[in-house]
Amino acid sequence: MNQNRSVSGQAQGVPPRIFSVVQESDVQVDPRPAPLTNMRLALQTLMDCMSAGRDTPRLGAFFGYSGYGKTVAAGFAAARTNAFYVCAKSVWTQRTLLEAIASELGITKMARTAPAILAQVTEHLTIFPRPLVIDEMDFLVKRQAVEIIRDIHDATSIAIMMIGEEDLPAKLKEWERFDNRIRVSTAAQPASDEDTLKLRDHYCLSARIADDLALRFKQACRGCTRRIVTNLIEADAIARDERQANADLAWWGSRPIMNGDLQPRRPQGGAA
């Protein structure tokens, strides 16, 4: 007898089939508008996959450069759609991935083997279908764990959105059977002026950071959300310490902007 199945055939650790199977289309999506561009794009990518039929591809990719706010956007999309969310780590194996997904699904008693855990995961998602968001997908590509995502996709009706770096779509081309199941690929965008001012209003609570200074940060950081936020927080702290009520570009002056560029070495004095 299979040690990983009960007499009724139910995978261990998966809730019993008491109610009829629900449909992913029954998932309620929060209708409020997304605050930032990449939050909106990630949510739309996931919703496009959710709207697909069972017999059509339901994989989505949201990709872009580091610092564009993809993880925040992924978390936002997951929260708005009540999706399961898993963030991969660099040391994960195929079994670790399955265990992480099973844990996120609430499966408390995992089977002993990876194939049996996969069966638990797919059965749970068949009975209780909710979207799945997988962040740091590049790690799973590197660890040859891509086919597990395809197994889950093919055995269920759920939408799956993968988050990764700029070259994620190119990496996935290596797996043709996986690549042709991707319904939509969406590129994360650099922060817009509107995004920057919204970030300013969210993070700068001690002083009034003027539009011209916030937008200068955006320009110098080439739209990288993480670096924009770093500079906004720094400006807010300096303005607070200096008791500067209105911190504008003229006040900032020649202070450096942290944008990742190497700062020129200052001469030490004296001839070389």
Side-chain angles (χ1 to χ4, degrees):
M1 180 180 292
N2 189 334
Q3 296 295 322
N4 296 315
R5 306 288 289 186
S6 65
V7 175
S8 65
Q10 184 78 25
Q12 291 184 353
V14 177
R17 196 184 293 260
I18 299 174
F19 304 103
S20 60
V21 176
V22 298
Q23 301 296 317
E24 190 181 48
S25 58
D26 296 330
V27 174
Q28 297 297 311
V29 179
D30 189 330
R32 291 174 297 172
L36 301 177
T37 299
N38 284 331
M39 291 179 175
R40 174 179 58 79
L41 292 174
L43 178 60
Q44 187 59 56
T45 300
L46 183 53
M47 290 180 65
D48 284 349
C49 296
M50 291 172 63
S51 66
R54 179 185 175 94
D55 296 327
T56 58
R58 286 162 279 103
L59 292 176
F62 185 61
F63 63 95
Y65 292 110
S66 175
Y68 271 21
K70 301 185 301 296
T71 292
V72 173
F76 172 85
R80 284 291 178 94
T81 59
N82 197 29
F84 296 111
Y85 175 86
V86 172
C87 183
K89 301 295 185 291
S90 62
V91 296
W92 278 13
T93 63
Q94 294 182 359
R95 181 184 176 92
T96 311
L97 169 62
L98 286 168
E99 290 175 345
I101 295 174
S103 178
E104 173 68 5
L105 268 54
I107 297 174
T108 56
K109 189 175 181 181
M110 295 184 199
R112 293 183 178 180
T113 67
I117 298 175
L118 177 61
Q120 289 180 301
V121 166
T122 56
E123 182 166 359
H124 188 286
L125 288 172
T126 299
I127 302 171
F128 304 107
R130 281 164 52 187
L132 175 62
V133 175
I134 302 176
D135 201 355
E136 300 287 3
M137 183 67 187
D138 301 86
F139 290 141
L140 303 184
V141 173
K142 186 176 181 180
R143 300 294 253 174
Q144 304 286 311
V146 169
E147 292 292 1
I148 290 177
I149 308 304
R150 184 173 69 88
D151 289 338
I152 295 172
H153 171 274
D154 291 356
T156 68
S157 63
I158 69 165
I160 302 175
M161 182 171 70
M162 303 164 289
I163 313 298
E165 296 301 315
E166 180 70 13
D167 58 351
L168 176 63
K171 292 177 181 178
L172 293 175
K173 291 290 183 184
E174 184 177 337
W175 288 269
E176 182 182 358
R177 291 185 300 174
F178 188 92
D179 180 64
N180 62 30
R181 285 166 170 77
I182 297 178
R183 180 180 182 84
V184 57
S185 292
T186 306
Q189 299 299 307
S192 66
D193 288 358
E194 183 180 1
D195 292 336
T196 300
L197 297 181
K198 286 181 178 179
L199 291 167
R200 183 269 315 272
D201 294 342
H202 179 76
Y203 285 101
C204 300
L205 305 177
S206 300
R208 168 65 184 173
I209 304 299
D211 290 2
D212 64 352
L213 179 55
L215 296 179
R216 176 70 184 99
F217 290 156
K218 174 234 171 184
Q219 178 189 37
C221 297
R222 296 177 285 277
C224 177
T225 303
R226 182 181 296 126
R227 296 192 188 278
I228 293 169
V229 169
T230 298
N231 284 282
L232 286 170
I233 292 174
E234 177 73 5
D236 190 56
I238 294 173
R240 180 192 63 227
D241 293 343
E242 295 183 2
R243 302 193 178 188
Q244 180 74 23
N246 185 41
D248 57 12
L249 187 55
W251 164 78
W252 185 261
S254 61
R255 291 185 178 95
I257 296 175
M258 294 174 283
N259 62 359
D261 292 345
L262 294 176
Q263 298 297 320
R265 185 190 298 273
R266 294 183 177 180
Q268 299 296 316

